[in-house]
């Protein structure tokens, strides 16, 4: 969809969501009304409507004095988002009807595009497609009502760790998608559910490693009580004999 085709607040909101899922809009990015109005060739009123939609969906925050910003989820926010994703995605698979051949073909086409993006080193496309697989699966399982909710939750987890996913991690995620679809194709919903559970665990673990580092760690350590700092740095340097002598005294 080109900027020339943007004619509604829904399309503007969708474009912003696509940019987030492709890791092209970082957490905390300011979304200026005037700039977006000029970019899309629409009125500021239409831009405000789009941004208000995203505020309602929990993707954008607004301040009367500062303007509109992409949210900056905390690690706690991300954990809650993953918990919600598990409830939705595993529940859908647990109660799914047998999937149709056309749905399997759609999922396989999606995976083929994932693989092409990975092989071509298109970081934005691979990030978007790997996240959108889950939305596509939701739609293929016949629940379009939950697909928008799932897209928003995926955007939240993407924003939590904006460090680009490595090629190895992307390949692993794509391979896990292949196994999930294969289980669905043979009608083994229990296996598909377990594979999805494991997949979400792997993705969350990757975000924990990349995005949940404590940014206040240096200051936290610097301002810790002296006794606590001494325990960190002095105790490991002492030999067992030295500690024993101190205890005896």
């Amino acid at each position: 969809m080109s900027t020339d085709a943007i004619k509604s607040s829904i399309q503007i909101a969708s474009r912003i969501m696509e940019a987030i899922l492709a890791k092209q809009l970082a957490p905390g990015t300011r979304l200026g009304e005037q700039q977006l109005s000029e970019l899309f060739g629409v009125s500021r009123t239409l831009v405000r409507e789009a941004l208000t939609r995203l505020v309602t969906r929990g993707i954008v925050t607004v301040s009367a004095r500062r303007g509109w910003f992409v949210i900056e989820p905390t690690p706690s926010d991300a954990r809650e988002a993953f918990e919600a994703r598990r409830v939705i995605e595993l529940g859908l698979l647990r109660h799914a009807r047998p999937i149709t051949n056309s749905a399997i073909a759609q999922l396989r086409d999606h995976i083929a595009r994932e693989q092409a993006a990975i092989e071509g080193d298109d970081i934005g496309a691979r990030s978007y497609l790997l996240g959108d697989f889950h939305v596509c699966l939701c739609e293929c399982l016949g629940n379009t009502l939950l697909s928008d909710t799932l897209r928003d939750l995926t955007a939240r987890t993407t924003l939590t760790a904006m460090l680009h996913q490595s090629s190895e991690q992307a390949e692993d995620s794509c391979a896990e998608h292949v196994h999930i679809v294969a289980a669905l194709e043979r009608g083994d919903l229990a296996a598909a559910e377990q594979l999805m559970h494991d997949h979400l665990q792997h993705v969350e673990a990757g975000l924990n490693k990349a995005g949940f580092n404590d940014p206040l760690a240096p200051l936290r350590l610097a301002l810790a009580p002296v006794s606590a700092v001494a325990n960190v740095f002095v105790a490991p340097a002492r030999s067992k004999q030295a500690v024993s002598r101190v205890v005896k005294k």
Side-chain angles (χ1 to χ4, degrees):
M1 182 169 61
S2 68
T3 53
D4 293 336
I6 297 289
K7 294 182 179 179
S8 73
S9 60
I10 294 176
Q11 290 175 308
I12 296 170
S14 296
R15 174 62 65 80
I16 293 171
M17 284 293 294
E18 288 173 5
I20 289 171
L21 289 168
K23 297 183 178 178
Q24 293 169 347
L25 276 178
T29 299
R30 188 175 185 278
L31 302 169
E33 289 182 17
Q34 184 60 40
Q35 290 90 337
L36 290 174
S37 174
E38 292 175 3
L39 177 65
F40 294 124
V42 298
S43 68
R44 292 180 63 169
T45 299
L46 208 58
V47 169
R48 280 193 293 272
E49 289 177 5
L51 295 174
T52 300
R53 287 177 180 274
L54 293 175
V55 168
T56 303
R57 293 164 63 178
I59 303 301
V60 167
T61 184
V62 62
S63 167
R65 293 184 178 181
R66 299 174 61 238
W68 310 82
F69 295 85
V70 177
I71 61 166
E72 298 182 79
T74 65
S76 176
D77 292 334
R79 280 189 287 271
E80 289 182 3
F82 268 108
E83 287 174 5
R85 285 184 62 179
R86 276 189 282 271
V87 169
I88 292 173
E89 298 191 62
L90 301 185
L92 281 170
L93 288 167
R94 187 172 305 140
H95 302 292
R97 297 183 295 273
I99 195 164
T100 64
N101 291 333
S102 62
I104 291 293
Q106 184 177 343
L107 289 168
R108 290 200 174 281
D109 176 69
H110 195 287
I111 289 172
R113 286 184 284 132
E114 290 179 23
Q115 293 168 333
I118 292 170
E119 292 171 2
D121 292 326
D122 189 337
I123 295 173
R126 83 185 185 201
S127 175
Y128 176 83
L129 288 166
L130 288 170
D132 194 57
F133 168 83
H134 297 265
V135 179
C136 180
L137 176 59
C138 182
E139 293 172 343
C140 286
L141 290 173
N143 199 315
T144 54
L145 183 63
L146 285 175
S147 62
D148 285 339
T149 300
L150 192 55
R151 183 178 286 105
D152 293 348
L153 292 170
T154 302
R156 282 177 166 270
T157 53
T158 298
L159 283 168
T160 306
M162 285 301 287
L163 293 175
H164 288 306
Q165 189 179 39
S166 70
S167 296
E168 292 77 11
Q169 289 173 317
E171 290 171 3
D172 289 344
S173 287
C174 186
E176 289 169 357
H177 292 171
V178 170
H179 293 314
I180 291 167
V181 173
L184 288 171
E185 188 170 17
R186 63 177 182 266
D188 193 343
L189 294 177
E193 181 184 347
Q194 184 60 52
L195 287 165
M196 180 62 79
H197 175 273
D198 295 344
H199 172 58
L200 292 175
Q201 292 282 79
H202 294 161
V203 175
E204 185 174 11
L207 294 188
N208 285 335
K209 184 177 180 181
F212 291 173
N213 295 326
D214 182 4
L216 299 179
L219 186 61
R220 195 185 308 281
L221 183 59
L223 296 180
V226 173
S227 58
V229 176
N231 287 336
V232 171
F233 291 106
V234 178
R238 293 179 174 172
S239 66
K240 290 183 179 179
Q241 281 187 325
V243 173
S244 177
R245 285 197 297 271
V246 171
V247 172
K248 287 179 181 178
K249 289 181 180 179

